[in-house]
Amino acid sequence: MEAPDRNIGLDLVRVTEAAALSCSRWLGKGDKIAGDQAAVDAMRLSFNTVPLDGIIVIGEGEKDEAPMLFNGEKVGMGLGQAVDVAVDPVEGTNLLAYGRPNAISVIGVAPRGSMFDPGPSYYMKKLVVPAEARDVADLDAPVGDNLRAIARALGKDVDDLVVFVLDKPRHKDLITEIRRTGARIQLHTDGDVAGSLMAVDPTNVVDVMMGTGGTPEGVLSACAIRAVGGRMLARLDPQKDDEKKALIKAGTDTKSILTEETLVNSDDTYFAATGISGGTFLRGVRFTGRGAVTHSLVLRGKTGTMRRIESHIALEKLMRFSAVKYD
């Protein structure tokens, strides 16, 4: 038996809060680079207060030539547990830029050496289901067979299901097949970390997430899925010739099926997310005139604890000493 120890997730949520608050000033202004830069700057500065010895394994930015916390960058105070860190200061930069729902700021943490390194892989095919359906999901099964099996495991009819799919040209056939089964669809332009979490959240209307999304986002999602249960099945799915050539040159296996357990091979994970633009997953930053209100999710894999946090921030007092700029 162990006495309660420190939950680093409660430190990490202050980092995602800072990033969300800082970039939310750019909501709907059409400049995703400026919004992302604000989040990156706030996240990097806030990490300096977290008592961990972190190295970024999953850093966003290379694929889109955006501002980034780069792979290999050291974060934290250099104290305590040595960890791998996955970050996405703004998951859904276009969602932020155009004022669309479900932009979030996200961090995942796991013991050093436990995170899958995607190397030159940017995209992977994914299937995410709740815990009740983890044993029936099959990445290679026909869409209709998969959805019927998942529906049975959830005690639902197929036409009760809601499937999260990214609204991309590559998913034209997938969308047709889902509709043919009678299942319902939520189409989202971006944000497949949020989509994965919706699929495993028992309070959310989404039952399944299907389709090809980001490889870094897959590793981030795995940190959360290991904490709350559910199943992710994935396979690297390069979308452009340059990505395919880079994977071949690196000798990367693109045929094997990955799971949340191979993407993060420890259940001692932490995950924190703060809503930016609001939506069905997390409510967004709301400025009140006197301050701001944020809504966050914190998960700890070791204990399976989920916390939903509403923070009321007195910006006038905070800005008297904060190095992070929120105005």
Side-chain angles (χ1 to χ4, degrees):
M1 306 299 292
E2 300 178 15
D5 58 353
R6 182 166 189 163
N7 184 344
I8 296 297
L10 298 174
D11 295 284
L12 296 175
V13 77
R14 295 181 62 209
V15 181
T16 57
E17 278 182 358
L21 268 171
S22 187
C23 73
S24 63
R25 294 293 189 182
W26 293 94
L27 180 69
K29 294 184 178 179
D31 191 341
K32 71 175 187 177
I33 299 298
D36 205 15
Q37 186 69 67
V40 166
D41 292 345
M43 185 171 277
R44 179 177 280 120
L45 192 59
S46 299
F47 254 126
N48 293 335
T49 67
V50 181
L52 54 77
D53 177 11
I55 293 179
I56 293 180
V57 174
I58 304 294
E60 270 294 279
E62 291 177 275
K63 179 174 64 178
D64 302 316
E65 299 182 354
M68 64 183 295
L69 285 147
F70 58 85
N71 292 359
E73 182 173 351
K74 293 184 177 181
V75 293
M77 299 171 67
L79 307 173
Q81 186 178 8
V83 295
D84 290 341
V85 180
V87 298
D88 201 342
V90 181
E91 203 238 347
T93 52
N94 283 319
L95 302 179
L96 170 64
Y98 298 109
R100 295 171 181 153
N102 293 323
I104 58 176
S105 181
V106 192
I107 296 172
V109 167
R112 180 72 52 80
S114 62
M115 280 189 188
F116 175 78
D117 184 351
S121 172
Y122 293 143
Y123 291 95
M124 58 167 46
K125 181 180 179 181
K126 305 172 193 174
L127 172 62
V128 182
V129 298
E132 295 86 347
R134 63 177 287 124
D135 295 328
V136 302
D138 183 344
L139 189 66
D140 293 326
V143 172
D145 292 351
N146 245 329
L147 292 179
R148 283 185 285 271
I150 292 166
R152 284 193 298 270
L154 298 179
K156 297 184 176 186
D157 294 329
V158 172
D159 58 3
D160 294 333
L161 294 181
V162 175
V163 184
F164 178 107
V165 181
L166 291 176
D167 190 7
K168 306 291 184 182
R170 62 179 176 265
H171 290 150
K172 180 181 178 181
D173 292 341
L174 172 63
I175 291 166
T176 299
E177 289 299 314
I178 294 171
R179 288 173 174 161
R180 188 171 292 151
T181 68
R184 299 173 293 161
I185 300 176
Q186 274 194 13
L187 289 174
H188 294 255
T189 58
D190 299 276
D192 62 314
V193 172
S196 295
L197 293 176
M198 290 179 200
V200 298
D201 181 354
T203 68
N204 200 282
V205 68
V206 170
D207 299 293
V208 187
M209 195 274 271
M210 283 182 157
T212 294
T215 304
E217 288 83 352
V219 179
L220 263 167
S221 300
C223 288
I225 294 169
R226 294 221 58 166
V228 301
R231 172 61 85 192
M232 170 184 281
L233 300 173
R235 180 187 289 118
L236 301 186
D237 187 18
Q239 296 296 297
K240 296 180 180 179
D241 287 340
D242 287 349
E243 184 182 0
K244 292 176 183 177
K245 291 176 182 177
L247 289 169
I248 292 170
K249 183 177 181 180
T252 304
D253 180 1
T254 59
K255 296 182 179 180
S256 295
I257 293 178
L258 305 167
T259 71
E260 76 284 353
E261 294 174 350
T262 52
L263 290 171
V264 181
N265 64 22
S266 169
D267 64 2
D268 189 15
T269 61
Y270 297 93
F271 179 89
T274 300
I276 300 171
S277 60
T280 54
F281 175 53
L282 282 170
R283 295 171 66 183
V285 175
R286 179 169 64 89
F287 292 101
T288 65
R290 295 185 177 182
V293 181
T294 64
H295 298 268
S296 302
L297 176 71
V298 184
L299 306 173
R300 186 176 187 185
K302 183 177 179 180
T303 61
T305 303
M306 174 188 291
R307 288 180 171 89
R308 293 185 182 273
I309 299 174
E310 179 177 289
S311 300
H312 293 252
I313 299 158
L315 285 176
E316 184 177 340
K317 294 182 71 173
L318 180 60
M319 288 310 300
R320 293 174 188 169
F321 58 85
S322 174
V324 180
K325 302 303 180 184
Y326 300 119
D327 53 3

